[in-house]
C-alpha cells in the first residue's frame, strides 16, 4: 500500500498553487510535492497524484472516469443541464464515461482520421503565413496568432466558410471560460455563446445533409457504423466540443512554446531539424494542460492505492512531465531529447482526440515563425492566464524587430 501524505506543508503548497504568483512558475511547488510523496491529500479530501508513473496509471485506469452527472449536485451543479455551456461539456467526450464514451469515441474517431487531419496541412500553412503577414511591430501574440490559428483550422476542418469564422473567436473565448471557473458571471457570457455556436452548427449540419462536402461535418452527418450513428444532439455537442475545448491546447501550446523557444535561442537549429520531436519536448517542458481530474466509478487499486466509488483524484500531469524518475534533467529544455512522450494530452480512454491536429499546427507554426520573423522577441506586459488547469497567457506582447 502506497503512503498518502497529509501535512501542513502539503496544504500550504497546494494553496500557493491557487494563487497567480504560484501559477506563474508552478514547477518548484511540483518538485517539492513529488519529494513529499507520489500521493498527497488536499484539505477537501481530493487525492493529488504528482509523479509520472502514478499519473500515467491513473490516466489509463478505466475504473477511474469523469464525475457522473448524478454526482454533480454534490459539487453545487444540480442545474447543470439548464446551462447550455455546461450541458455542452458534461454530455461531450470530455465529460462522459463508458459505455456512452466508448460508442461516441468510436463513431467520431472513424470520421476524425489522421488522413483528414493531414489534409489540412496546405490550408494550415496558408493560414499561418496570412497571420504572420499581419504581425508588424509590437503585437499581442495570443490575439494575433495563437488564438485565431486553431480557431480557423477547426473551422476549416468542419467546413465553416471563411466569411463566417471571425464571429467564433469571441464566442469560443466566452464559452470556454467554464473550463477554468463556473460562476454566475462566467455563465452569463458562456451560455449565450454556447447557444450561438450550437445554433450555427445546427444550420451547418442541415446544409450538409442537403449538400455533403469533403469536410468533417459532412462525415459526422453521414457516418454510420453497424447501424449506429450520431443523434442530432450528439452531433452538435461533438462539433461544439471542437470549438469549446479543442482549440485550448493549441492556443496555449503555441504561446508557452514560443516563450520557451525565445528563452532558449540556442535550441532553434534543433527545431528546424526535427519539428515533430521539438513540439513533443515543448509539450513536456511547459504543458498547456497541467492536470486531469478523475472520479472512481468502482473500487480499484492503482499504484498501490485503493479507491472507492466517488473518490476524487487529480493527476498533476504538469508535475509528472518534470519527474526526474522519467525524464533525466527534466527542468532543462532539450529539443534533442529522444524519449520525451509526455502526459500533456492525457492518457487512456480520455486521451485528447485532437492531439494530432494540435501537433500539426505547432510543427508548422514554430519553424515558419522563426524563418519569417528572425528578430522576434518578447515585449513587456505579458499577462498569464489565471488558471490551475490551463497554463498559458491571456496576453503575450512580442515585437517583430
Amino acid at each position: 500500500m502506497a503512503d498518502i501524505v497529509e501535512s501542513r506543508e502539503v496544504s500550504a503548497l497546494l494553496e500557493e498553487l491557487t494563487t497567480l504568483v504560484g501559477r506563474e512558475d508552478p514547477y518548484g511547488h511540483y518538485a517539492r510535492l513529488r519529494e513529499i510523496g507520489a500521493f498527497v491529500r488536499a484539505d477537501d479530501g481530493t487525492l493529488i497524484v504528482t509523479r509520472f508513473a502514478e499519473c500515467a496509471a491513473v490516466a489509463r485506469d478505466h475504473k477511474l472516469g469523469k464525475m457522473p452527472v448524478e454526482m454533480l449536485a454534490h459539487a453545487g451543479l444540480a442545474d447543470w443541464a439548464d446551462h447550455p455551456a455546461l450541458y455542452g461539456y458534461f454530455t461531450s467526450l470530455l465529460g462522459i464515461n463508458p459505455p456512452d464514451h466508448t460508442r461516441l469515441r468510436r463513431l467520431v474517431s472513424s470520421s476524425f482520421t489522421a488522413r483528414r487531419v493531414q489534409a489540412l496541412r496546405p490550408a494550415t500553412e496558408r493560414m499561418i503565413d496570412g497571420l504572420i503577414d499581419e504581425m508588424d511591430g509590437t503585437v499581442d501574440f495570443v490575439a494575433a496568432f495563437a488564438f485565431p490559428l486553431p480557431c480557423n483550422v477547426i473551422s476549416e476542418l468542419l467546413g465553416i466558410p471563411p466569411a463566417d469564422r471571425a464571429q467564433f473567436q469571441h464566442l469560443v473565448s466566452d464559452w470556454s471560460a467554464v473550463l477554468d471557473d463556473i460562476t454566475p458571471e462566467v455563465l452569463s457570457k458562456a451560455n449565450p455563446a454556447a447557444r450561438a455556436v450550437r445554433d450555427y452548427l445546427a444550420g451547418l449540419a442541415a446544409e450538409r445533409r442537403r449538400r455533403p462536402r469533403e469536410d468533417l461535418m459532412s462525415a459526422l452527418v453521414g457516418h454510420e457504423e453497424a447501424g449506429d450513428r450520431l443523434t442530432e444532439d450528439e452531433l452538435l455537442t461533438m462539433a461544439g466540443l471542437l470549438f469549446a475545448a479543442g482549440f485550448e491546447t493549441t492556443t496555449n501550446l503555441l504561446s508557452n512554446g514560443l516563450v520557451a523557444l525565445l528563452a532558449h535561442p540556442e535550441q532553434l537549429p534543433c527545431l528546424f531539424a526535427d519539428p515533430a520531436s521539438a513540439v513533443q519536448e515543448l509539450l513536456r517542458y511547459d504543458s498547456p494542460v497541467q492536470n486531469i481530474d478523475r472520479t472512481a466509478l468502482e473500487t480499484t487499486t492503482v499504484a498501490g492505492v485503493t479507491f472507492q466509488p466517488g473518490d476524487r483524484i487529480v493527476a498533476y500531469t504538469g508535475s509528472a512531465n518534470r519527474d526526474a524518475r522519467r525524464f533525466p534533467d527534466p527542468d532543462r529544455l532539450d529539443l534533442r531529447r529522444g524519449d520525451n512522450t509526455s502526459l500533456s494530452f492525457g492518457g487512456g480512454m480520455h486521451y485528447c482526440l485532437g492531439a494530432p491536429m494540435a501537433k500539426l499546427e505547432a510543427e508548422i507554426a514554430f519553424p515558419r515563425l522563426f524563418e519569417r520573423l528572425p528578430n522576434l522577441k518578447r515585449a513587456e506586459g505579458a499577462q498569464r492566464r489565471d488558471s490551475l488547469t490551463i497554463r498559458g497567457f491571456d496576453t503575450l506582447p512580442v515585437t517583430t524587430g
Side-chain angles (χ1 to χ4, degrees), residues 94-166:
L94 283 179
I96 61 175
N97 296 305
D100 292 335
H101 182 277
T102 306
R103 170 182 166 267
L104 288 181
R105 180 137 186 156
R106 184 188 71 249
L107 282 170
V108 173
S109 296
S110 56
S111 297
F112 193 23
T113 61
R115 180 188 61 81
R116 192 179 298 278
V117 171
Q118 285 299 319
L120 289 170
R121 179 176 287 272
T124 302
E125 291 173 344
R126 290 194 298 272
M127 291 177 200
I128 287 170
D129 281 332
L131 291 171
I132 293 174
D133 287 342
E134 299 297 318
M135 292 175 61
D136 185 29
T138 300
V139 299
D140 175 11
F141 181 74
V142 175
F145 191 92
F147 190 93
L149 176 62
C151 208
N152 285 328
V153 170
I154 290 169
S155 296
E156 182 78 16
L157 178 72
L158 284 169
I160 294 172
D164 292 348
R165 294 175 186 174

Side-chain angles (χ1 to χ4, degrees), residues 203-212 221:
L204 183 66
E207 172 63 23
R208 291 299 184 266
R209 288 191 183 93
R210 292 190 295 268
R211 286 182 284 276
V221 164

Side-chain angles (χ1 to χ4, degrees), residues 66-261:
K66 306 303 276 187
M67 183 180 289
V69 292
E70 56 267 22
M71 292 180 61
L72 292 175
H74 299 294
L77 296 173
D79 63 345
W80 66 273
D82 297 330
H83 296 279
L86 300 182
Y87 181 87
Y89 170 76
F90 290 119
T91 61
S92 75
L93 283 178
L94 283 179
I96 61 175
N97 296 305
D100 292 335
H101 182 277
T102 306
R103 170 182 166 267
L104 288 181
R105 180 137 186 156
R106 184 188 71 249
L107 282 170
V108 173
S109 296
S110 56
S111 297
F112 193 23
T113 61
R115 180 188 61 81
R116 192 179 298 278
V117 171
Q118 285 299 319
L120 289 170
R121 179 176 287 272
T124 302
E125 291 173 344
R126 290 194 298 272
M127 291 177 200
I128 287 170
D129 281 332
L131 291 171
I132 293 174
D133 287 342
E134 299 297 318
M135 292 175 61
D136 185 29
T138 300
V139 299
D140 175 11
F141 181 74
V142 175
F145 191 92
F147 190 93
L149 176 62
C151 208
N152 285 328
V153 170
I154 290 169
S155 296
E156 182 78 16
L157 178 72
L158 284 169
I160 294 172
D164 292 348
R165 294 175 186 174
Q167 63 183 308
F168 287 101
Q169 292 192 26
H170 74 86
L171 291 174
V172 168
S173 181
D174 287 345
W175 184 4
S176 65
V178 298
L179 298 176
D180 281 342
D181 197 15
I182 300 174
T183 64
E185 182 181 5
V186 168
L187 288 171
S188 70
K189 294 182 179 179
N191 283 330
R195 192 177 297 111
V197 172
R198 190 178 181 91
D199 288 347
Y200 180 92
L201 293 173
L204 183 66
E207 172 63 23
R208 291 299 184 266
R209 288 191 183 93
R210 292 190 295 268
R211 286 182 284 276
R213 298 184 183 179
E214 294 297 319
D215 54 41
L216 181 60
M217 181 62 85
S218 298
L220 293 174
V221 164
H223 182 74
E224 184 172 349
E225 184 175 317
D228 191 14
R229 65 191 307 160
L230 294 171
T231 67
E232 177 76 0
D233 184 63
E234 291 167 345
L235 169 70
L236 298 181
T237 298
M238 177 56 59
L241 168 65
L242 290 172
F243 275 111
F247 83 95
E248 282 281 5
T249 298
T250 309
T251 293
N252 296 297
L253 165 59
L254 292 170
S255 299
N256 295 345
L258 181 69
V259 167
L261 291 168

